[in-house]
Amino acid sequence: MGILQKLNNNPGLLIEYLEKCEDEINAAKEIFDLDDKVLEKLCKDHPKNVAKYKRKLYEIKCIEDLFNNNLEAVYSEKWKELNSNMKKILTQKDIHVYIQSDADYRELRELVLEITFIKKIYESICEAFDALGYSLNNIVKIRIASLEDMVI
């Protein structure tokens, strides 16, 4: 069973998953602290770190899509429920307001917002890895150029 099925069937696991994501986000801060690190090790570890965080980003994007689909399904169910059970005819705006005030809908909406927040942080980490890659490339080129200019 894949991660999406596990998280879809047990929302409690989603909270644990998001907490682990926050731990990984905090661990990324150490990766970007370049003081007293060996250039060769940084260059060697960079692709591994990029792959790890991009994979996690793609995973979170899929989870976000899944929970957005769930949110739309709850919205549709509530819409049908309000249209069929109300004796007076409600406007679309009234139904929309009733649905947005529903506890189940709001709870799921909060989860989607939390997932989106984590996704945005992972996107910024991946962008920072791209910038770090360019920086490492430039540093290596400068070092090579300085070796070529040496006079013995």
Side-chain angles (χ1 to χ4, degrees):
M1 183 163 34
I3 184 127
L4 293 178
Q5 290 174 329
K6 288 178 187 175
L7 294 176
N8 195 28
N9 295 334
N10 188 350
L13 285 178
L14 177 64
I15 303 301
E16 290 177 27
Y17 179 83
L18 293 177
E19 288 172 356
K20 288 179 185 176
C21 288
E22 288 176 359
D23 291 341
E24 287 183 4
I25 289 168
N26 291 331
K29 292 175 186 173
E30 285 183 33
I31 296 170
F32 292 108
D33 181 21
L34 303 180
D35 294 337
D36 300 325
K37 291 193 178 172
V38 178
L39 181 61
E40 184 179 333
K41 181 166 177 25
L42 287 171
C43 290
K44 185 177 74 172
D45 290 345
H46 184 71
K48 174 182 70 171
N49 291 327
V50 170
K52 174 184 173 182
Y53 283 91
K54 283 205 176 187
R55 181 184 187 282
K56 197 67 162 184
L57 173 62
Y58 298 143
E59 214 172 78
I60 290 172
K61 284 182 177 181
C62 289
I63 292 167
E64 181 186 36
D65 289 345
L66 173 71
F67 277 84
N68 274 327
N69 288 343
N70 291 349
L71 188 64
E72 289 174 14
V74 167
Y75 189 91
S76 296
E77 288 173 21
K78 301 292 179 185
W79 186 279
K80 287 178 193 174
E81 184 180 303
L82 286 169
N83 274 330
S84 63
N85 293 341
M86 290 300 227
K87 293 182 181 174
K88 84 173 206 179
I89 297 175
L90 298 172
T91 66
Q92 288 185 353
K93 183 68 175 169
D94 291 336
I95 294 172
H96 182 71
V97 169
Y98 278 124
I99 293 171
Q100 286 188 329
S101 65
D102 182 76
D104 293 338
Y105 180 83
R106 282 193 357 258
E107 182 180 332
L108 190 54
R109 179 78 177 124
E110 288 172 8
L111 280 175
V112 168
L113 290 173
E114 184 70 26
I115 294 167
T116 302
F117 176 70
I118 297 291
K119 179 190 82 168
K120 298 244 182 232
I121 293 172
Y122 270 96
E123 286 174 344
S124 67
I125 289 172
C126 289
E127 288 173 10
F129 273 121
D130 290 343
L132 179 61
Y134 290 123
S135 295
L136 291 173
N137 183 35
N138 291 338
I139 292 168
V140 168
K141 285 180 179 178
I142 289 169
R143 293 265 173 110
I144 291 171
S146 69
L147 288 176
E148 290 174 357
D149 291 341
M150 283 183 64
V151 176
I152 299 179

PDB file of all heavy atoms in Angstrom, residues 25-37:
ATOM      1  N   ILE A  25      12.758  19.574   7.447  1.00  0.00           N
ATOM      2  CA  ILE A  25      12.945  20.990   7.105  1.00  0.00           C
ATOM      3  C   ILE A  25      13.984  21.609   8.028  1.00  0.00           C
ATOM      4  O   ILE A  25      14.876  22.337   7.583  1.00  0.00           O
ATOM      5  CB  ILE A  25      11.595  21.741   7.179  1.00  0.00           C
ATOM      6  CG1 ILE A  25      10.704  21.318   6.010  1.00  0.00           C
ATOM      7  CG2 ILE A  25      11.810  23.253   7.204  1.00  0.00           C
ATOM      8  CD1 ILE A  25       9.268  21.754   6.131  1.00  0.00           C
ATOM      9  N   ASN A  26      13.887  21.297   9.313  1.00  0.00           N
ATOM     10  CA  ASN A  26      14.873  21.815  10.265  1.00  0.00           C
ATOM     11  C   ASN A  26      16.261  21.259   9.994  1.00  0.00           C
ATOM     12  O   ASN A  26      17.266  21.952  10.180  1.00  0.00           O
ATOM     13  CB  ASN A  26      14.438  21.511  11.696  1.00  0.00           C
ATOM     14  CG  ASN A  26      13.206  22.312  12.098  1.00  0.00           C
ATOM     15  OD1 ASN A  26      12.978  23.407  11.601  1.00  0.00           O
ATOM     16  ND2 ASN A  26      12.403  21.756  12.977  1.00  0.00           N
ATOM     17  N   ALA A  27      16.335  20.015   9.540  1.00  0.00           N
ATOM     18  CA  ALA A  27      17.624  19.407   9.212  1.00  0.00           C
ATOM     19  C   ALA A  27      18.254  20.077   7.992  1.00  0.00           C
ATOM     20  O   ALA A  27      19.485  20.103   7.863  1.00  0.00           O
ATOM     21  CB  ALA A  27      17.458  17.911   8.957  1.00  0.00           C
ATOM     22  N   ALA A  28      17.434  20.623   7.115  1.00  0.00           N
ATOM     23  CA  ALA A  28      17.960  21.281   5.918  1.00  0.00           C
ATOM     24  C   ALA A  28      18.767  22.524   6.276  1.00  0.00           C
ATOM     25  O   ALA A  28      19.678  22.904   5.545  1.00  0.00           O
ATOM     26  CB  ALA A  28      16.818  21.643   4.974  1.00  0.00           C
ATOM     27  N   LYS A  29      18.438  23.139   7.382  1.00  0.00           N
ATOM     28  CA  LYS A  29      19.165  24.344   7.797  1.00  0.00           C
ATOM     29  C   LYS A  29      20.651  24.041   7.977  1.00  0.00           C
ATOM     30  O   LYS A  29      21.498  24.857   7.638  1.00  0.00           O
ATOM     31  CB  LYS A  29      18.574  24.902   9.090  1.00  0.00           C
ATOM     32  CG  LYS A  29      17.189  25.467   8.914  1.00  0.00           C
ATOM     33  CD  LYS A  29      16.583  25.901  10.234  1.00  0.00           C
ATOM     34  CE  LYS A  29      15.146  26.327  10.045  1.00  0.00           C
ATOM     35  NZ  LYS A  29      14.470  26.604  11.302  1.00  0.00           N
ATOM     36  N   GLU A  30      20.967  22.875   8.503  1.00  0.00           N
ATOM     37  CA  GLU A  30      22.367  22.477   8.676  1.00  0.00           C
ATOM     38  C   GLU A  30      23.075  22.294   7.343  1.00  0.00           C
ATOM     39  O   GLU A  30      24.258  22.593   7.220  1.00  0.00           O
ATOM     40  CB  GLU A  30      22.453  21.175   9.477  1.00  0.00           C
ATOM     41  CG  GLU A  30      22.193  21.332  10.953  1.00  0.00           C
ATOM     42  CD  GLU A  30      22.374  20.024  11.697  1.00  0.00           C
ATOM     43  OE1 GLU A  30      23.244  19.219  11.297  1.00  0.00           O
ATOM     44  OE2 GLU A  30      21.639  19.819  12.670  1.00  0.00           O
ATOM     45  N   ILE A  31      22.364  21.792   6.368  1.00  0.00           N
ATOM     46  CA  ILE A  31      22.959  21.556   5.048  1.00  0.00           C
ATOM     47  C   ILE A  31      23.414  22.871   4.427  1.00  0.00           C
ATOM     48  O   ILE A  31      24.457  22.939   3.784  1.00  0.00           O
ATOM     49  CB  ILE A  31      21.953  20.833   4.120  1.00  0.00           C
ATOM     50  CG1 ILE A  31      21.638  19.440   4.668  1.00  0.00           C
ATOM     51  CG2 ILE A  31      22.493  20.742   2.699  1.00  0.00           C
ATOM     52  CD1 ILE A  31      20.491  18.743   3.973  1.00  0.00           C
ATOM     53  N   PHE A  32      22.659  23.931   4.653  1.00  0.00           N
ATOM     54  CA  PHE A  32      22.981  25.221   4.043  1.00  0.00           C
ATOM     55  C   PHE A  32      23.988  26.037   4.842  1.00  0.00           C
ATOM     56  O   PHE A  32      24.428  27.080   4.376  1.00  0.00           O
ATOM     57  CB  PHE A  32      21.700  26.032   3.821  1.00  0.00           C
ATOM     58  CG  PHE A  32      20.813  25.430   2.775  1.00  0.00           C
ATOM     59  CD1 PHE A  32      19.629  24.817   3.128  1.00  0.00           C
ATOM     60  CD2 PHE A  32      21.177  25.454   1.442  1.00  0.00           C
ATOM     61  CE1 PHE A  32      18.807  24.251   2.170  1.00  0.00           C
ATOM     62  CE2 PHE A  32      20.366  24.891   0.474  1.00  0.00           C
ATOM     63  CZ  PHE A  32      19.180  24.283   0.843  1.00  0.00           C
ATOM     64  N   ASP A  33      24.352  25.560   6.010  1.00  0.00           N
ATOM     65  CA  ASP A  33      25.407  26.231   6.780  1.00  0.00           C
ATOM     66  C   ASP A  33      26.740  25.720   6.242  1.00  0.00           C
ATOM     67  O   ASP A  33      27.168  24.608   6.553  1.00  0.00           O
ATOM     68  CB  ASP A  33      25.253  25.923   8.267  1.00  0.00           C
ATOM     69  CG  ASP A  33      26.307  26.626   9.107  1.00  0.00           C
ATOM     70  OD1 ASP A  33      26.887  27.622   8.627  1.00  0.00           O
ATOM     71  OD2 ASP A  33      26.537  26.171  10.249  1.00  0.00           O
ATOM     72  N   LEU A  34      27.401  26.522   5.429  1.00  0.00           N
ATOM     73  CA  LEU A  34      28.599  26.082   4.715  1.00  0.00           C
ATOM     74  C   LEU A  34      29.906  26.367   5.453  1.00  0.00           C
ATOM     75  O   LEU A  34      30.971  26.005   4.956  1.00  0.00           O
ATOM     76  CB  LEU A  34      28.653  26.743   3.333  1.00  0.00           C
ATOM     77  CG  LEU A  34      27.436  26.498   2.437  1.00  0.00           C
ATOM     78  CD1 LEU A  34      27.631  27.201   1.110  1.00  0.00           C
ATOM     79  CD2 LEU A  34      27.165  25.026   2.252  1.00  0.00           C
ATOM     80  N   ASP A  35      29.839  27.006   6.597  1.00  0.00           N
ATOM     81  CA  ASP A  35      31.051  27.338   7.341  1.00  0.00           C
ATOM     82  C   ASP A  35      31.814  26.069   7.740  1.00  0.00           C
ATOM     83  O   ASP A  35      31.229  25.112   8.243  1.00  0.00           O
ATOM     84  CB  ASP A  35      30.713  28.136   8.600  1.00  0.00           C
ATOM     85  CG  ASP A  35      30.146  29.503   8.270  1.00  0.00           C
ATOM     86  OD1 ASP A  35      30.410  29.988   7.155  1.00  0.00           O
ATOM     87  OD2 ASP A  35      29.440  30.078   9.128  1.00  0.00           O
ATOM     88  N   ASP A  36      33.113  26.084   7.481  1.00  0.00           N
ATOM     89  CA  ASP A  36      34.027  25.000   7.864  1.00  0.00           C
ATOM     90  C   ASP A  36      33.670  23.652   7.239  1.00  0.00           C
ATOM     91  O   ASP A  36      33.919  22.609   7.831  1.00  0.00           O
ATOM     92  CB  ASP A  36      34.094  24.854   9.391  1.00  0.00           C
ATOM     93  CG  ASP A  36      34.581  26.119  10.067  1.00  0.00           C
ATOM     94  OD1 ASP A  36      35.448  26.797   9.481  1.00  0.00           O
ATOM     95  OD2 ASP A  36      34.092  26.427  11.176  1.00  0.00           O
ATOM     96  N   LYS A  37      33.091  23.660   6.049  1.00  0.00           N
ATOM     97  CA  LYS A  37      32.797  22.406   5.361  1.00  0.00           C
ATOM     98  C   LYS A  37      33.744  22.260   4.186  1.00  0.00           C
ATOM     99  O   LYS A  37      34.160  23.235   3.565  1.00  0.00           O
ATOM    100  CB  LYS A  37      31.345  22.368   4.900  1.00  0.00           C
ATOM    101  CG  LYS A  37      30.375  22.276   6.062  1.00  0.00           C
ATOM    102  CD  LYS A  37      29.003  21.927   5.606  1.00  0.00           C
ATOM    103  CE  LYS A  37      28.092  21.800   6.824  1.00  0.00           C
ATOM    104  NZ  LYS A  37      26.715  21.652   6.440  1.00  0.00           N
TER     105      LYS A  37
END
